[in-house]
Amino acid sequence: MHTNNNIAFEQETLYDYLLVVSPGTSITNDVTALKKLVAQELGMYGSRFSKAHISLFRSEFPERFQDDFVQLLDDIARKQSGFTLYTSKFDHFEHGPDKRTIYINVANPKPMVELHKKILQEFDIKPGSFKPHITIARAISTPEFNKVYDHFSNQVFVRSFQCKSFTLLRKPASGGHYEPVKEFVFGDEAVQQDATLFNYAA
């Protein structure tokens, strides 16, 4: 007897999930201006139009795991308190001899490192080295880097913002743009928001 097993073998669509902290409108606008400056010299480059963010976690998995993932993140956010992050200066990563990434350094990385660790522990992943940062130009070639880094080297970028939530984004692993799935507001902030709404209502 011949049964049709094709359904079992259908490839599930994989999504590329990215968990980010947004540094607020004012820093986002500043970073957009810096990216524009780089683009004036280099033309179009990879991370030109990505919105300013600090990446916390990235993973690829099928959509059917999304609800569980969201549930986990809900739990983490509920137990998390808001904190202030400070940026300080520009710096760069080297990816081998021919690629460089220009970024803004976080001056007090500890609260972000702790949050990153909590997320990885939920997945039983051993935390590696994690450096919170806001990317200006990702993985540009060394000649491109040499052309623009004068604008940034030894320059400071002193800002601060309240970290009150993180946002889950996703895109098909095959390519495309990240779309928001959900914003997770931290526990103490959620309580404050409810209290404010209650005051307005009263």
Side-chain angles (χ1 to χ4, degrees), residues 35-107:
K35 287 177 175 237
K36 196 172 170 185
L37 176 82
V38 172
Q40 278 165 354
E41 305 227 1
L42 301 185
M44 192 50 202
Y45 65 94
S47 50
R48 165 76 176 93
F49 289 113
S50 67
K51 261 183 84 170
H53 64 271
I54 298 174
S55 299
L56 261 173
F57 181 79
R58 188 176 176 186
S59 184
E60 283 186 9
F61 49 84
E63 187 175 31
R64 66 193 160 99
F65 294 116
Q66 182 177 301
D67 287 349
D68 292 343
F69 188 40
V70 164
Q71 190 72 54
L72 266 177
L73 293 174
D74 261 331
D75 290 344
I76 293 169
R78 208 173 25 249
K79 297 173 194 153
Q80 179 66 36
S81 299
F83 50 87
T84 305
L85 281 181
Y86 299 90
T87 58
S88 55
K89 60 184 193 326
F90 297 101
D91 207 338
H92 68 282
F93 294 123
E94 298 188 2
H95 315 277
D98 51 3
K99 293 271 188 223
R100 302 279 185 273
T101 289
I102 301 169
Y103 66 89
I104 296 164
N105 195 26
V106 172

Side-chain angles (χ1 to χ4, degrees), residues 56 108-118 127 130-132:
L56 261 173
N108 61 325
K110 196 162 185 269
M112 279 295 276
V113 171
E114 291 296 315
L115 182 53
H116 175 253
K117 205 192 295 181
K118 282 177 199 164
F130 170 67
K131 188 176 176 52

Side-chain angles (χ1 to χ4, degrees), residues 86-164:
Y86 299 90
T87 58
S88 55
K89 60 184 193 326
F90 297 101
D91 207 338
H92 68 282
F93 294 123
E94 298 188 2
H95 315 277
D98 51 3
K99 293 271 188 223
R100 302 279 185 273
T101 289
I102 301 169
Y103 66 89
I104 296 164
N105 195 26
V106 172
N108 61 325
K110 196 162 185 269
M112 279 295 276
V113 171
E114 291 296 315
L115 182 53
H116 175 253
K117 205 192 295 181
K118 282 177 199 164
I119 294 162
L120 292 191
Q121 279 166 350
E122 288 291 339
F123 288 90
D124 292 328
I125 301 171
K126 219 173 148 55
S129 65
F130 170 67
K131 188 176 176 52
H133 62 279
I134 301 170
T135 301
I136 304 286
R138 178 182 296 105
I140 55 177
S141 71
T142 305
E144 288 177 317
F145 169 82
N146 293 336
K147 202 170 164 187
V148 295
Y149 197 59
D150 277 357
H151 293 301
F152 302 101
S153 85
N154 302 320
Q155 297 295 315
V156 293
F157 186 90
V158 181
R159 309 278 193 283
S160 69
F161 67 95
Q162 281 298 111
C163 180
K164 301 175 177 184

Side-chain angles (χ1 to χ4, degrees), residues 22-34 52 157-161:
S22 166
T25 313
S26 146
I27 293 177
T28 299
N29 291 343
D30 290 344
V31 169
T32 302
L34 292 167
F157 186 90
V158 181
R159 309 278 193 283
S160 69
F161 67 95

